Amino acid sequence: MQYKILPGHLYPKDNRVNLYYLHNLFKVIGESVSVQMKQQHKVSVPITAGMWGGSYMVGLDDGQAKTNVVRLYSIVNLPQNSPLDRVENFECLMEIYQQTCCTTFKRYGLNLVDPRWGESIPYSNNERPTTALQMWDNTGKAKFVRAFFVWNEATWEESIIYDMIRNIKVLKELLNINIRPPKKEIAELKFLLQDVLITYFTLYSALTPDFIEHAKPIIKDLFEKFINGMKTEEIVKEQYHKVYSSALVYGFEEALQIPYKKENLDVKNVEGWPVDKINYVPNELKEKL
C-alpha cells in the first residue's frame, strides 16, 4: 500500500508536534484505511477522521504546539448499518488501522507497540458505544496514539462538537462542585487541565458572554501556566482547585445543553439518545462553531 506523503513534518522543530500536520495525518490515515478495506476485503467503508478536540487552538499560527504534546488523539467516524456490523469485518478494520498507524508514525520516529482495541468508552451511546484503539510509543517521543471510533457518518467538525458532550461528562467526574475534589495523581490533574483548555477553546463561540467574562481570566492564567510547563505539584494543585471552584465545567455544559434541548435531546443523558442522533449537531451550534 502506498501511503500519502504530506508536505512538512510532524515534528518540525524543538521536537514539538505541528498540530495542523497531526490533524491532516489522522485524516490521511482514515482515508488510507478506507481504501485498504476496499482493496483487501471488498468492503466499502466511508471514513472521516482527524485530530480529536481543539488542541490546534492552543498552537501557534502555523500549527506548532506551544507545549510538548505527547498524547496523540484522533476521532474516527464510521457508518452505521454497514458491513462493519459483522464482527470479522470490524476486526479487519482494527487490524488495518493499527498497522497503518504504526507504519505512518514510524516515519516520524515513533515506534507504536501493544495495540489494544474494543474498549467501550464511558458516556457514549448505550446501543452503539464509542470504542477506542490505543498504541504506546516505546521511544519516549510520545506517550501513545489513541483513536476514538464513533458510530455514525459525520464531518470531522460535527464529530468533535458532539464528542464534547461526552468529554464534559468526563470532566465533571473531577470537577463536580457537589462533592469534595478527589485525590488524584498530578499527571492526571495536568491532563484534566489540558482538557479544560481544549474544551474552552473548542466551544468558545457557543459560550455565553457572561460565562466568558467569568472564565476568561481563569483560562488565561491556566493557559500561561500550562505552556510554561506547570513544573511543580503546587502549581498544578492551585490551578486544579481554581478550575474546580469556579465551576467552569457547568458553563461548558450550558453551551451545549440549550441548543440540544430545543431538539428534545438532553445532554445529561447522551448515553440514552437514539443511535441515529450519534454525531448529531443542531444547526444553531454549527453556525456558531
Side-chain angles (χ1 to χ4, degrees):
M1 177 68 194
Q2 293 295 313
Y3 299 103
K4 185 175 180 180
I5 304 297
L6 294 172
H9 201 280
L10 183 60
Y11 293 95
K13 57 185 177 181
D14 301 327
N15 216 30
R16 289 187 176 179
V17 170
N18 184 291
L19 297 166
Y20 293 155
Y21 193 96
L22 179 63
H23 170 66
N24 285 323
L25 195 62
F26 280 134
K27 179 175 180 287
V28 166
I29 287 171
E31 292 168 350
S32 173
V33 170
S34 181
V35 170
Q36 291 178 77
M37 285 292 290
K38 184 72 171 178
Q39 291 178 341
Q40 297 178 26
H41 301 286
K42 311 301 181 190
V43 172
S44 180
V45 182
I47 295 174
T48 55
M51 186 173 64
W52 176 85
S55 302
Y56 60 92
M57 296 180 180
V58 292
L60 300 171
D61 289 343
D62 64 356
Q64 184 80 6
K66 293 182 180 179
T67 187
N68 192 23
V69 176
V70 295
R71 301 184 303 164
L72 308 182
Y73 286 113
S74 176
I75 192 162
V76 183
N77 303 302
L78 303 175
Q80 296 180 15
N81 304 314
S82 77
L84 294 179
D85 291 343
R86 297 179 62 181
V87 173
E88 58 268 32
N89 287 334
F90 183 72
E91 289 181 349
C92 288
L93 178 82
M94 290 295 100
E95 288 283 354
I96 292 174
Y97 227 102
Q98 62 99 354
Q99 290 167 6
T100 304
C101 284
C102 288
T103 302
T104 302
F105 281 98
K106 193 170 185 177
R107 290 200 217 107
Y108 308 101
L110 277 66
N111 188 41
L112 300 179
V113 298
D114 195 18
R116 299 182 188 180
W117 65 78
E119 168 195 5
S120 292
I121 302 302
Y123 307 124
S124 58
N125 189 273
N126 289 332
E127 290 187 51
R128 297 301 299 265
T130 296
T131 59
L133 163 67
Q134 183 159 324
M135 293 160 285
W136 285 260
D137 172 42
N138 66 6
T139 70
K141 203 166 188 177
K143 286 189 180 295
F144 55 73
V145 172
R146 182 171 172 86
F148 296 108
F149 294 86
V150 186
W151 287 101
N152 212 358
E153 291 183 71
T155 65
W156 170 75
E157 292 85 355
E158 289 169 337
S159 64
I160 62 168
I161 296 169
Y162 170 81
D163 200 57
M164 282 294 112
I165 303 172
R166 180 194 62 79
N167 189 55
I168 288 168
K169 298 192 81 164
V170 173
L171 292 179
K172 284 179 77 173
E173 290 182 356
L174 295 181
L175 296 174
N176 185 343
I177 58 174
N178 295 315
I179 60 174
R180 293 183 63 182
K183 290 185 178 181
K184 294 291 181 179
E185 296 290 331
I186 293 302
E188 185 174 350
L189 293 180
K190 286 177 74 172
F191 290 142
L192 167 80
L193 293 171
Q194 177 179 309
D195 284 348
V196 167
L197 288 172
I198 288 172
T199 304
Y200 177 81
F201 288 116
T202 300
L203 297 179
Y204 182 82
S205 296
L207 300 173
T208 65
D210 286 346
F211 177 73
I212 290 175
E213 184 179 357
H214 164 67
K216 203 166 190 176
I218 301 163
I219 293 294
K220 182 176 183 292
D221 184 48
L222 172 60
F223 182 73
E224 289 173 355
K225 295 288 195 309
F226 189 80
I227 62 174
N228 287 322
M230 290 201 291
K231 296 180 176 64
T232 69
E233 184 174 321
E234 289 73 20
I235 292 174
V236 175
K237 287 184 175 179
E238 176 193 7
Q239 290 298 315
Y240 168 63
H241 285 287
K242 188 180 291 187
V243 168
Y244 168 85
S245 61
S246 60
L248 294 187
V249 71
Y250 297 95
F252 300 154
E253 185 176 62
E254 182 185 23
L256 297 174
Q257 190 170 17
I258 294 171
Y260 275 104
K261 189 174 182 179
K262 294 176 183 176
E263 307 281 343
N264 295 316
L265 294 169
D266 181 6
V267 298
K268 293 183 179 180
N269 185 36
V270 66
E271 305 93 325
W273 289 9
V275 292
D276 64 336
K277 294 301 182 183
I278 295 173
N279 270 340
Y280 174 73
V281 179
N283 287 330
E284 179 181 335
L285 275 177
K286 290 182 188 179
E287 291 168 2
K288 289 180 179 179
L289 299 171

